[in-house]
Amino acid sequence: MNLVSTFVGLVQQVSSVMTRPTFQSFLIVLTGWVLGRRRTVTGMILAADAVGSKHHSCFHRLFAGARWSLDQLGLAVFALILPWLDDGPILLALDDTLARKRGLKVYGVGMHHDPLLSTRKTAIMNWGHSWVVLGVIARFPFAADRYVCLPILFRLYVSRQTIAKQGGTYRKRSELAVDMLQTLCSAYENRRFHVIADSAYPGKTVYLHLPGNCDLTSRLDLDARLHEATPLRQPGVNGRPRRRGKRLPAPRQMLKNRCRRITLDIYGRKDRSRVADRAAYLYAMPDRPVRVVAVEPLTGGRTTQAFFSTCHDATPEAVLTWYAMRWSIEMMFHDAKGQLGFEEPQGWTKRAVERTAPTALLLYSLIVLWFAKTGHRAYQAPERPWYRTKVRPSFADILATLRQESIREQVSSLRPTGRGSRKLIKTLLHAVKQAA
């Protein structure tokens, strides 16, 4: 069984990071990943109808022992994304997600916060892997009214408790995030990047070590200490020079003064808010000005929040719109877990764990790129008289289209002839759609 030739041609553009035998195994695994119901290595071999083509250990070694770099593969996928981006700053989304696991001997597992089961009052922990993911935010013609996040770089976070048991060097999530940013920004020094992250990443580790060609937009504490620019040292003044300027009101205090009211079309609806903004310097970053935006939502039920961006000359509307784009990475996590089995691989050694699950996210990027390039021509919206408001294909539709075109090409290559051949193909394609 093979995937449609247009998709295989797209994947072959990243083949330079592997040897030819390794890439052949990789292509078979991707085929099984798209067509399979269970995303274990043996399950994908069965789905790709590749039993006997190689010894099954070759496919296990693809993740556990083969010599190829996940970062280089991610950068190769990023090169495929570049033609879809404009010449301005490249928007990036940064976040972490939990992949639930079972077993005590799986490398890197530990107890991590489970955002799906937790509430505002009760934090629930779960056993599994915590992945820090960096993705590119882009727009495509098939869904011009929304943003899509395409993941490219990945790091496995291992907790202190797990490091104490299994050994190794502990690195915080923020340190892993900086490592990925430096990998991408150093590979494309002539491009400007802009990373958008949630409240877990705007600490000293991130914004004090941002690459020179990268900006940051994130959440800010409502009681954060803000300062004016550091005053120039006057001649004849003794003592240590000042590092920070005059103290400014915190974001919470900014909202007590007269504010501006704005309406933004974000998160799929129009939100009205009271907004106060100013240029300031953060306490931990006294040498770089930022734009601070305090927001009191008037609709939508959200609480008062504050944001900042190292693009200090940006408008409040731009800062809030940038942060709303971060939601695309949450949608990507949802689709990758539900449609591509991100949590299903069962490798347990260090290298197998660090490679297998990220392959599902890279496959997500490749599938979206294929659909944007050629797959959208074959897309047919399912006829649902009870659901007439759908205006764009979901990732489930995109995946079903890839499966459908792969089956169509495979069946057509057999050259069925005679009466009923067209009906046979139509029936097979309908069955594939329903199975997807």
Side-chain angles (χ1 to χ4, degrees):
M1 187 66 197
N2 297 314
L3 294 176
V4 64
S5 57
T6 52
F7 182 80
V8 174
L10 177 69
V11 178
Q12 284 177 339
Q13 296 182 49
V14 303
S15 62
S16 59
V17 302
M18 303 177 183
T19 63
R20 181 177 295 180
T22 299
F23 181 73
Q24 291 174 349
S25 300
F26 181 72
L27 203 55
I28 291 174
V29 167
L30 291 189
T31 303
W33 215 307
V34 170
L35 301 174
R37 297 175 57 189
R38 196 159 176 260
R39 274 57 176 239
T40 60
V41 173
T42 51
M44 291 183 285
I45 299 172
L46 287 171
D49 195 21
V51 177
S53 62
K54 289 184 178 182
H55 194 276
H56 60 84
S57 62
C58 295
F59 299 100
H60 288 281
R61 284 199 301 269
L62 170 66
F63 298 111
R67 297 182 62 182
W68 57 277
S69 168
L70 184 64
D71 280 357
Q72 291 300 317
L73 182 59
L75 291 176
V77 173
F78 177 74
L80 299 180
I81 302 172
L82 268 180
W84 296 94
L85 306 177
D86 56 31
D87 295 331
I90 298 173
L91 294 174
L92 307 173
L94 175 65
D95 204 356
D96 54 84
T97 189
L98 173 68
R100 298 165 190 81
K101 295 290 179 181
R102 294 182 180 179
L104 298 176
K105 294 186 178 181
V106 180
Y107 173 79
V109 290
M111 296 298 290
H112 302 285
H113 179 257
D114 192 331
L116 294 183
L117 301 180
S118 300
T119 64
R120 292 184 179 181
K121 294 183 178 180
T122 306
I124 304 296
M125 307 292 283
N126 219 326
W127 186 256
H129 288 139
S130 179
W131 289 98
V132 184
V133 180
L134 183 67
V136 180
I137 300 175
R139 264 182 173 171
F140 296 98
F142 68 84
D145 60 336
R146 70 167 182 175
Y147 290 93
V148 180
C149 179
L150 304 180
I152 54 171
L153 294 177
F154 320 90
R155 294 292 185 273
L156 177 66
Y157 168 75
V158 185
S159 65
R160 292 181 186 272
Q161 294 82 357
T162 305
I163 287 292
K165 294 178 182 178
Q166 300 182 352
T169 303
Y170 174 72
R171 300 181 71 189
K172 298 186 293 184
R173 290 184 178 89
S174 54
E175 293 176 326
L176 299 175
V178 169
D179 186 26
M180 290 189 292
L181 288 173
Q182 291 176 344
T183 298
L184 178 60
C185 294
S186 61
Y188 292 88
E189 295 180 347
N190 59 331
R191 293 302 301 264
R192 189 81 191 168
F193 296 90
H194 187 159
V195 61
I196 304 163
D198 66 4
S199 56
Y201 294 94
K204 293 182 181 180
T205 306
V206 175
Y207 58 64
L208 289 183
H209 299 90
L210 273 178
N213 57 337
C214 186
D215 287 302
L216 170 67
T217 295
S218 185
R219 289 275 298 275
L220 186 65
D221 191 274
L222 284 168
D223 298 314
R225 295 183 63 178
L226 305 178
H227 296 266
E228 292 181 350
T230 305
L232 296 176
R233 184 179 178 88
Q234 300 296 325
V237 177
N238 298 324
R240 181 175 65 87
R242 292 188 60 172
R243 292 196 58 205
R244 299 170 184 86
K246 181 182 176 181
R247 181 80 177 267
L248 294 173
R252 191 189 304 275
Q253 297 171 322
M254 291 167 57
L255 290 170
K256 295 181 180 179
N257 301 323
R258 188 171 182 176
C259 299
R260 191 159 59 93
R261 297 195 177 197
I262 63 173
T263 301
L264 287 177
D265 189 3
I266 55 178
Y267 300 112
R269 63 174 184 266
K270 293 187 180 296
D271 278 357
R272 294 176 57 245
S273 306
R274 291 179 65 244
V275 172
D277 71 293
R278 74 180 311 153
Y281 292 79
L282 301 180
Y283 180 83
M285 192 166 54
D287 301 325
R288 187 170 185 176
V290 298
R291 174 62 55 177
V292 177
V293 181
V295 184
E296 181 184 356
L298 301 176
T299 58
R302 299 178 183 274
T303 59
T304 302
Q305 297 175 319
F307 306 88
F308 80 93
S309 177
T310 55
C311 298
H312 63 278
D313 55 350
T315 64
E317 291 85 350
V319 174
L320 296 178
T321 302
W322 287 333
Y323 191 79
M325 294 178 190
R326 196 197 66 83
W327 186 248
S328 61
I329 196 172
E330 303 289 357
M331 294 300 298
M332 181 272 296
F333 288 145
H334 173 271
D335 292 335
K337 292 177 181 180
Q339 303 296 329
L340 290 179
F342 173 69
E343 298 177 306
E344 295 179 19
Q346 296 181 352
W348 59 275
T349 62
K350 183 177 186 294
R351 185 172 285 187
V353 166
E354 291 177 340
R355 286 174 168 180
T356 313
T359 300
L361 300 185
L362 288 174
L363 177 59
Y364 178 96
S365 298
L366 291 169
I367 291 174
V368 174
L369 289 170
W370 168 82
F371 189 82
K373 186 176 181 180
T374 58
H376 65 279
R377 302 185 190 126
Y379 170 69
Q380 294 180 347
E383 185 177 355
R384 297 189 180 105
W386 57 89
Y387 186 19
R388 299 186 182 276
T389 58
K390 185 171 183 176
V391 296
R392 72 182 74 87
S394 65
F395 182 74
D397 297 327
I398 294 173
L399 184 59
T401 303
L402 176 57
R403 290 169 174 166
Q404 167 193 306
E405 290 306 296
S406 299
I407 297 296
R408 184 198 301 275
E409 188 175 83
Q410 194 83 2
V411 173
S412 299
S413 67
L414 301 177
R415 299 186 180 279
T417 58
R419 296 180 61 183
S421 58
R422 290 187 179 181
K423 181 177 280 190
L424 171 63
I425 295 176
K426 184 177 180 180
T427 302
L428 285 173
L429 294 180
H430 177 74
V432 170
K433 280 186 177 180
Q434 299 310 309

